Amino acid sequence: MFICSPSGTALSNYTQLREYLQTAGTCKCGLPCPLRPETAFSFDPKVADSSPKY
């Protein structure tokens, strides 16, 4: 299970997600503030995908 960032970076765990979000220039638009990655993202393959379908 991975999350694809707006820049196309594949993130497969909370450590990678945290590093990505702390990198200057990465898109954080639409994320809640304050961000709590454990509640905003899930890397559990059993959780239904909630991304928009186009």
Side-chain angles (χ1 to χ4, degrees), residues 11-39:
L11 307 166
S12 60
N13 59 55
Y14 289 111
T15 301
Q16 290 177 345
L17 175 64
R18 194 167 284 111
E19 289 172 5
Y20 174 81
L21 293 172
Q22 291 175 346
T23 301
T26 57
C27 178
K28 297 156 189 84
C29 301
L31 294 176
C33 186
L35 178 62
R36 292 183 181 88
E38 307 76 34
T39 60

